[in-house]
Amino acid sequence: MLTAYDFTTARLLDEAGIDIILVGDSLGQVVLGYDSTLPVTMEDMIHHTKAVLRGVERAMVVSDMPFLSFQISPEEALANAGTLIKEARSTPVKLVDGKPSSGSITVAIKLEGGEQVADTIRKIVDAGIPVMGHLGMQPMSASVHGGPRVHGKSESEAELILRDAKIIEEAGVFAIVLELVPTELARQVTNSVSVPTIGIGAGPYCDGQVLVSSDMLGIYRASFKHVKQYADIGNIMLDAFRAYIEDVKSGKFPASEHSF
Ligand code: KIV
């Protein structure tokens, strides 16, 4: 799984063969320039999920429920999850080989939390919307846990994560993201639930892995221990922008082959 927030990136990820595209609320930092995910709104998530869906022909798309869209009550959470799915799916159907493509794309939602969101997960799944869980470091509540940090180093925190994983599995999640969790604990969680775990900073024993695309591409230009940088697109962009500025100023661009 990798993140995308726009049509162009989603189309490339889909073509590359990714299984799941996550329209993460990391949108807040890497696209909208906030310093956390908290200001992200339902409208933001709907807007970007629609853009992503327009670029997808086969991958599953998972969209994050933003802060306060699911914490107030299970009823409100279901209404918001329903709105997200309805709006996202209202994107015009694309024809692939003459057949509608988007009908076969699964769109799911993801929400952070353990036992405290179990009833909410149950309600949303009962309404027919697939839900992905998210345990370990949960960016929305990081400020009550001393900021973003590895979760589950102490025995009590590890027990809580294991317990929460079983509770949200029972509530109906189809997969669980484990963020910033010690390798051994992630292995234990993976072995004790039947749904797939998807790790980020959770070691190699999860069933799947996820990264924020802007981090692994070097566009966001922040470095995190859990991220492997697969390309340095940020510097490639900087060089290209500088070369363009230089060419325009010196009169090298546009040349005759770019002119009519
Ligand atoms: O918002 C996001 O991108 C996420 C990933 C870090 C899993 O939740």
Side-chain angles (χ1 to χ4, degrees), residues 160-228:
L160 189 64
I161 291 171
L162 265 167
R163 196 170 146 263
D164 276 343
K166 289 180 192 155
I167 289 173
I168 64 171
E169 175 190 25
E170 199 273 325
V173 295
F174 70 90
I176 302 172
V177 167
L178 290 176
E179 180 163 1
L180 299 187
V181 165
T183 299
E184 262 320 301
L185 176 59
R187 189 204 316 240
Q188 261 180 288
V189 173
T190 303
N191 290 340
S192 57
V193 293
S194 59
V195 295
T197 58
I198 305 179
I200 173 162
Y205 303 115
C206 294
D207 298 297
Q209 296 290 328
V210 55
L211 283 176
V212 171
S213 294
S214 333
D215 292 339
M216 58 90 82
L217 293 174
I219 301 175
Y220 187 54
R221 314 187 94 212
S223 77
F224 303 104
K225 177 175 161 65
H226 64 273
V227 175
K228 177 172 173 183

Side-chain angles (χ1 to χ4, degrees), residues 91-259:
T91 202
V93 171
K94 246 186 321 190
L95 294 185
V96 175
D97 298 331
K99 294 188 197 105
S101 70
S102 56
S104 58
I105 295 167
T106 303
V107 186
I109 58 111
K110 172 165 86 56
L111 51 85
E112 295 176 15
E115 185 174 17
Q116 76 275 27
V117 292
D119 287 343
T120 298
I121 292 169
R122 215 168 276 119
K123 194 156 192 79
I124 298 174
V125 174
D126 282 352
I129 300 171
V131 178
M132 179 179 276
H134 186 147
L135 295 174
M137 204 283 283
Q138 295 163 40
M140 283 178 197
S141 51
S143 48
V144 292
H145 295 115
R149 62 171 175 82
V150 176
H151 275 245
K153 281 183 168 177
S154 70
E155 208 171 304
S156 59
E157 254 187 22
E159 271 168 20
L160 189 64
I161 291 171
L162 265 167
R163 196 170 146 263
D164 276 343
K166 289 180 192 155
I167 289 173
I168 64 171
E169 175 190 25
E170 199 273 325
V173 295
F174 70 90
I176 302 172
V177 167
L178 290 176
E179 180 163 1
L180 299 187
V181 165
T183 299
E184 262 320 301
L185 176 59
R187 189 204 316 240
Q188 261 180 288
V189 173
T190 303
N191 290 340
S192 57
V193 293
S194 59
V195 295
T197 58
I198 305 179
I200 173 162
Y205 303 115
C206 294
D207 298 297
Q209 296 290 328
V210 55
L211 283 176
V212 171
S213 294
S214 333
D215 292 339
M216 58 90 82
L217 293 174
I219 301 175
Y220 187 54
R221 314 187 94 212
S223 77
F224 303 104
K225 177 175 161 65
H226 64 273
V227 175
K228 177 172 173 183
Q229 203 178 305
Y230 284 82
D232 190 4
I233 307 291
N235 278 327
I236 292 174
M237 288 169 79
L238 254 185
D239 287 347
F241 295 152
R242 286 183 177 135
Y244 167 78
I245 292 166
E246 177 62 33
D247 276 3
V248 171
K249 286 190 172 167
S250 68
K252 265 205 217 152
F253 177 81
S256 58
E257 66 264 35
H258 310 118
S259 307

